[in-house]
Amino acid sequence: MSDRITLSGLRARGRHGVLAAERELGQEFSADVVLHLDTRAAAAGDDLSATVNYADVAREVVAVLAGPPVDLVETVAATIAERVLAHPRVLAVDVTVHKPQAPVPVPFADVTVHVHRTAGDAGGGREVVLALGGNLGDVRATLSAALTQLARHPRVTVAAVSPLLRSTALTLPGAGPQPDYLNAVAVLRTDLPPRELLALCQGLELGHGRVRGERWGARPLDLDLVAAGTVTWQDADLTLPHPRAHERAFVLAPWARVRPDAVLPGHGPVAGLAARLGPVEWVAEEWWT
């Protein structure tokens, strides 16, 4: 499911084509672009920053049409799609490029090339940082099973897994003691939209016996989306980057182990943030295969 923003009839004079005359004289090209995205957060907050500025997209499309010449309309369409997908809230895009003055030797109305691309078409999707934890039952086995289930999803690849560490449970003031947590971080590659990935993780939590009751209560499995590259996301159910990640050594330390050069948007290098919070207790280097 996705909402759509459509830009129709974007036009510019370009010099794309394989013939010398096309490069020399140029001709008019136009493009229709359909952006697939989730507009609910923008609508709820009446917030432009929570959607895609279609004026920016229009300028980028026209710049490609009028830009450096290439031989094929297919290349023009693919370049436009790549530019549009650079906007992190765009989940997929349809691009139709029109070349109505193409050198076709019979009567015709138009030549079009249409491409459909998703955010996962380039390199298997975006990297997503997932924090795993639990403090009830056989936690190590539960974390391993949950990660295996994620890896079996056809649109999820587990790219890296940190060592396992032990951390003191965070509790509300006045709450009773809890067992220590085991924690780790996994780096996933996926083209799933953030809300779909969240739903997948919550389904795994439920399947492993998590009951959502007391805030910061004990649980057999906790799966938190921490960051997804430079994507920013905020709605009633999900905020990216995670608003408290910069305070949590049990997230930062394992993240830095698997991605030493990682940066937490808005806060800086992850390794530096982790160092300022002090050492953690590592308990297992290799715990998932």
Side-chain angles (χ1 to χ4, degrees):
M1 187 281 296
S2 68
D3 305 328
R4 294 189 295 273
I5 295 174
T6 300
L7 294 165
S8 300
L10 298 168
R11 291 185 295 276
R13 191 166 186 83
R15 298 177 181 272
H16 312 293
V18 297
L19 301 181
E22 294 181 289
R23 295 294 182 98
E24 180 181 351
L25 301 174
Q27 59 189 292
E28 184 175 89
F29 292 82
S30 67
D32 307 319
V33 181
V34 181
L35 286 61
H36 300 261
L37 68 165
D38 189 335
T39 65
R40 286 175 290 189
D46 198 23
D47 182 5
L48 177 61
S49 67
T51 182
V52 178
N53 188 328
Y54 49 76
D56 291 342
V57 173
R59 283 190 288 267
E60 292 167 4
V61 172
V62 168
V64 174
L65 295 177
V70 297
D71 287 347
L72 301 179
V73 180
E74 290 88 339
T75 305
V76 177
T79 302
I80 291 172
E82 182 180 355
R83 297 283 181 86
V84 174
L85 287 173
H87 293 264
R89 290 191 176 273
V90 178
L91 308 175
V93 63
D94 291 286
V95 177
T96 302
V97 175
H98 302 259
K99 189 178 181 180
Q101 298 169 343
V104 176
V106 296
F108 75 105
D110 197 4
V111 172
T112 65
V113 170
H114 177 85
V115 301
H116 175 81
R117 300 286 187 269
T118 71
D121 287 335
R126 298 186 177 96
E127 277 202 350
V128 177
V129 180
L130 178 72
L132 306 91
N135 68 340
L136 290 179
D138 188 345
V139 177
R140 181 166 174 168
T142 299
L143 298 184
S144 181
L147 200 52
T148 297
Q149 289 171 291
L150 280 170
R152 288 173 180 163
H153 192 284
R155 295 170 64 184
V156 176
T157 299
V158 177
V161 181
S162 78
L164 207 60
L165 63 91
R166 188 186 315 278
S167 68
T168 302
L170 298 175
T171 59
L172 293 174
Q178 290 186 26
D180 288 345
Y181 271 78
L182 293 182
N183 302 93
V185 157
V187 176
L188 312 178
R189 289 204 67 88
T190 180
D191 65 345
L192 288 174
R195 286 182 61 90
E196 289 187 26
L197 183 59
L198 175 66
L200 173 61
C201 290
Q202 290 178 339
L204 291 174
E205 290 175 338
L206 182 64
H208 286 279
R210 177 170 179 179
V211 177
R212 293 186 178 274
E214 177 189 355
R215 186 185 181 201
W216 292 354
R219 64 207 57 185
L221 178 64
D222 189 26
L223 300 175
D224 276 338
L225 303 185
V226 177
T230 60
V231 172
T232 58
W233 187 283
Q234 186 166 9
D235 59 28
D237 302 313
L238 177 64
T239 299
L240 288 174
H242 193 289
R244 293 178 296 279
H246 65 287
E247 303 170 346
R248 296 180 170 177
F250 60 83
V251 171
L252 297 170
W255 185 1
R257 285 287 297 268
V258 293
R259 291 292 185 265
D261 298 326
V263 173
L264 177 60
H267 296 281
V270 171
L273 293 169
R276 285 196 286 272
L277 293 177
V280 297
E281 180 189 352
W282 302 105
V283 296
E285 287 289 326
E286 302 290 338
W287 62 274
W288 179 80
T289 55

